[in-house]
Amino acid sequence: MSVELDVFVGNNTIMDEDVYQLWLDGYAVNDAVRLRMETGALRDCDVSSDVVHSDTMDQFRTFHMCEKLLHCPAKLGNQLLFQIPPQKQAMMIERYYQFDSAFAREVLGKKLSKGMKKDLDDISSKTGIGVKSCRRQFDNFKRVFKVVEELKGPLVDNVKRHFLLSDSLAKDYAAIVFFANSRFETGKRKLQYLSFQDFAFCAGQLISYWTVGAVDNMMEDMDVDLEKEFLHNLKDLKVLINDKDLLDQHKSLVCAQLRGKIKVFSEMEANFKPLSRALVNIAAKLTHSRDVRDLFIDLVEKFIEPCRSDKWSVGDLRLFLSHYSSTAHMLETFRFEPIWDRYMGVIKSCILKMYHD
Amino acid sequence: MPGKLKAKIVAGRHLPVMDRASDLTDAFVEVKFGNTTFKTDVYPKSLNPQWNSEWFKFEVDDEDLQDEPLQITVLDHDTYSANDAIGKVYIDIDPLLCSEAATVISGWFPIYDTIHGIRGEINVLVKVDLFNDLNRFRQSSCGVKFFCTASIPRCYRAVMVHGFVEELVVNEDPEYQWIDRIRTPRASNEARQRLISLMSGELQRKIGLKILEMGGNAVVGYLQCFDLEGESGLVVRAIGTACTLEKLINPPSNAQHTANSSPSKDIKEPVFGEECPSNPLSSGPSTPLRAPAFSFSPSKSYSRQSSSSDTDISLTPKTGMGSGGSGGKEAGPLKTLLRQQTQTALEQREFPFFTLTSFPPGFLLHVGGVVSARSVKLLDRIHNPDEPETRDAWWEELRQEIKSHGKALGCHAVVGYSESTSICEEVCILSAVGTAAVLNCRFLQDGCLDALTEHRLSRQLPLFPSGSDKVEFDLGSSASLGCEDLAPPGCGFCHIPYDELNMPFPAQLSCCYCCRRAKVPDVLFTTIDLPTEASILGKGCLIQARLCRLKKKGQGEGNATCISSLLPFMEYELHTQLLNKLKLRGMNALFGLRIQISVGENMLVGLASATGVYLSALPCPGGIQIAGKAPGDLSYEQHVSNMQRKINDTINKNRELYHINPPEVVEELIGSPIPEPRQRSRLFRSHSESSDELSEIDLSHGKKDAFVLEIDDTDAVEDIHSLLTDAHTPPGFFSCNTEIMPGIYNWTSGLQMFSSVRVFRLSNVNLTNQGLNKIFSELCENLLKSLYFKLRSMVPCCLCHLNFTVAVPEDELIQVAVTAVAMSFHKDQIQDSNKSGDDRAPMKVITENEDQLQFPLELSAENPQPLSSAKNSGPSDGSAGGLARASSAERASPLPDGRSRSLRSTRSFPGSTVAVVKMTPLSFIPGAKIVKYLGIINMFFIRETTSLREEGGVSGFLHSFIAEVFAMVRAHVAALGGNAVVSYSMKECVFMENPNKNQAQCLINVSGDAVIFTRETELEASSTQPQTANTQSNEDTPA
């Protein structure tokens, strides 16, 4: 004796956000039912697991039917099959494109190709996120990437417009697309301590200041790529380390500003030249796309780690970077202030974001 | 050339990819009406084609306009092979033929394919230019309005109620034609859809002609059904009530709202005052209690022209064709019938039947009780579709029976009348049921029907919300209006119409508990809605009797005989169950009674649903007493008294639950459940096949005391068991199968229509009747429980118009389908006399945001819960996080006070271009005013799949199909310019599967009335500007 068929369809599509979340998290119906029963939320309702099972099945089916539409969120707004109010639609879309930072961290900077799918199982077992959920999140990344990749105009706006996402989520997607496009190295062991949010912040900085769109947002070119010309010009900054006078002058200016203001003054004084060299070399290397990928590992290895071993505090680091970048303007023979500022602004905020345990 | 139909194809969107290579589609459209076809250009390589075609013009007869649907086919152009069909849209243009309905059809329609479901949408414009044609012999009936609503539609006034109309048309079912063996399932399904569309168009036209002949201009309570008789054909039949309606120019709008917002007794008097000047009762002659010589005015001048399916009684039914229930006896009933017919030929041409279920105050004088008739027939191929007199004769027989039952009850009319069939293979059970009643004949004759206008005014009024003292007050006020009628409004309809000394059956009568001026029965069963003026105590509730009976598999006449011999027992048992359950709830009347008996290969399934109430005019029901047969055995008596106590407790608990506090003064036996000395029933039934005479089985348990259940009797043990195992509705929920819940008046605008279908497979073990009963009962109970759970966020809420249909699609399958609407109401405004006090938390939420109520589950999301924020801000820790999230949020969702959190930021979202269309099985929308009826929606769809597993199994398949049907209904309503469907019903849901072949097929028939409604807001009530209603409605439905 068994229920062979069991459906419930409302004129207004009934959905419970918690069940939706369970579905998004990739639970099988039985597990979802168990979770709903166990959480005790339904204890007051005095319902049997059969009833919850039937309800869960109905909703999972509804979500499954909606999934096609969610792949192209604009369709959800003018489809006729489900009568869902706009707020609810927005919730569905936002939640569907929501991702786990732990998952995004794993995928960041990798090529969003089919081959990745094999790795999803590994990521799933590593992060504890359900395989189904991983797949959805990965497919979302890929889908957004595919649509936005070739579009002109500001990246975040493009994501927002095509996927009807909120500001913050659209920014996160922009970061993912940006990292996937430039293929930044994020997987090295030394970078493991950095969270997705750290990288997303850095990506935001790069998108805002180093892309073509950053200087000219009326431009037809897109936000996804760093501006070639700017990267090329960064070579000019080498003068700061190649010219010995300039380097000494820079050092004494920074030292004069910082004396007595930071705890690690002596270490700073001793390491000024290697640190300055590191920052300028990173800039000079960005001309080659291969080295662009290593931006973050370089920052960590060549700058953050030395500072950390000398136990610089974040405050000291901030002061140092501010004065290091501003005193360059006082160098008489230094002619590349605009490029220097554009470079250092981003580098400074990235380093500060990345400087933690 | 009486009409020009014009159609324009504007655009398409979301088309499926038809060319795998390019991932695009080269779409074009064929527009077909009758035999004329037009084509648009091919719009190459697009999933969102913009055809912007010219106006395609069809010059056609209005007869064709009524019969034919406009058929739009979207195709993919293929240079090298045949063009692939993407899907079709059928548009019924009937609403355009009526000047008062829609003027243009314009909007996005889902493109539907019977194999793939909805595949994109198409934007279409349709108009009709009708030329005046005064040809008296015309075959068309353009302009007759059709309403599914079984009461006088809201913005109309009934000038005259003419009476019963019926018609049926038959045809061969394309599915069973020889050609079906060589054509594709798609072609076969489309042929069927088209044929049924044509047939229902033809049926409507013919009904319309009858209406015109009778001098009417509308059909209300239009009920159209399909009988899929398989091999023997396809029958489309319809019944309805002919009326002459007049549109209200300026309907008084404030009345309902006032009633809605503060249904307290203070406002009662002014409302009565409003009603007073238009009350016809004050002027007309006094009506006799019984009107034996009652005649329906239009019947004399009424002559038929249409030849196809008249129930012409002079026709000799072809006895060879299938009327063979009980072999040799069959000539008997037919002879009797013929004799009767010839005797009263003229008189009986018209049946005094009304498909209406609710009436204007004063229309219904007395109610006799339920009359029903069933007959078992053997189907045979319909040889000549143009002369369907066999089917007509069958129904004619039943109607005659109903009529004579009504007469026996001293009634001249039958109201709440409906007809239904259940078919299994070649056996067909025909059922007709109604409520015998005495009507106020003035309503049927002249045009003085002003009281019909705004009867909804009193619908939502708590007329007699509390004790008998209030009743006295109301009686006083109505008497002071100069009401000459003998029957006071609150109780008159309960007074017996038959002669007290010459009762048609043994019954226990007592003086009316309201007016003491007439006799009333002790229980009353009816098929109609609770009259608005009825005075009741407390609230009502859904009462169901469920029954399965095994039968041997059989064929032909033997099978039919077997079934017809089982039927009386089933009716008897269902009736007993209903009565017991009614008593158990401490109530004394049933409304909206619907008894369905479905036949399967090896069993019969019976399901009776009704809404129980306590009519204050009727005596307080006695309890149920249990008696053991073996006195002396101490432990046994212990057991008996235990049971008795349980039952008494249940009765008391129910009384409390439904706020039934009968006035103590009435009789001394109140309060203690002492069994009534005698019980008798109001249910008349008979089987034309089972006996020579019209048998009126006395269902009153013979000479025994009805409510002394002897538990030695295994049946009785079962009865008691089933009585006590009926689950209670969870707190905050009420349910009924009538339009609205008696005793609840303060509805919010929150409403959710739904359909739920379950199919249960019985294992192949040998089942007993009892075992089956238990399973079936559990199936229904579990279904109800699921509904309560799903809709828990709407509490306090009532499931209204719960319409159960049961079928036995295969040997071991039972299918139960429910369509109903959940409506939430304001908890703090419940008017009842016995304040229980505990749940009376004052909540001052009068008007609420539409969307929030409509989708109440989302309220849970507005908690200060970490769900979304956790997701946004940081890394989540996998499954543990998911669990925690679920718990925190789920806890909040079923809270009834979730509504108070409705202060949400109403941020606007882009992209939503779809208008909201409400659907409800009720004839009204709470808190809203229906300003225009746009026409009838009557749609038939077939869906088939050969990849059942891939579509998510049977549940996935049916789920998406029902969702698609809803979508298509909404799209058609929106295209007519409407924003709601009222009186919606899913009349047919035939599901067949073959999992081994990975196949399934389903047929669904839905109907309803497309309307435009406007919200009645607080604003409108305070200011007297009528425009506010319009602006409000615009906000409600974003274009």
Side-chain angles (χ1 to χ4, degrees), chain B residues 589-605:
Chain B
L590 286 180
F591 286 89
L593 177 65
R594 191 165 170 269
I595 300 176
Q596 200 196 353
I597 293 181
S598 284
V599 57
E601 286 268 282
N602 59 349
M603 67 173 129
L604 289 168
V605 182

Side-chain angles (χ1 to χ4, degrees), chain B residues 634-647:
Chain B
L634 208 66
S635 69
Y636 188 74
E637 278 181 4
Q638 190 78 38
H639 176 63
V640 170
S641 67
N642 265 343
M643 277 242 210
Q644 181 70 60
R645 199 165 48 243
K646 251 192 218 163
I647 287 185

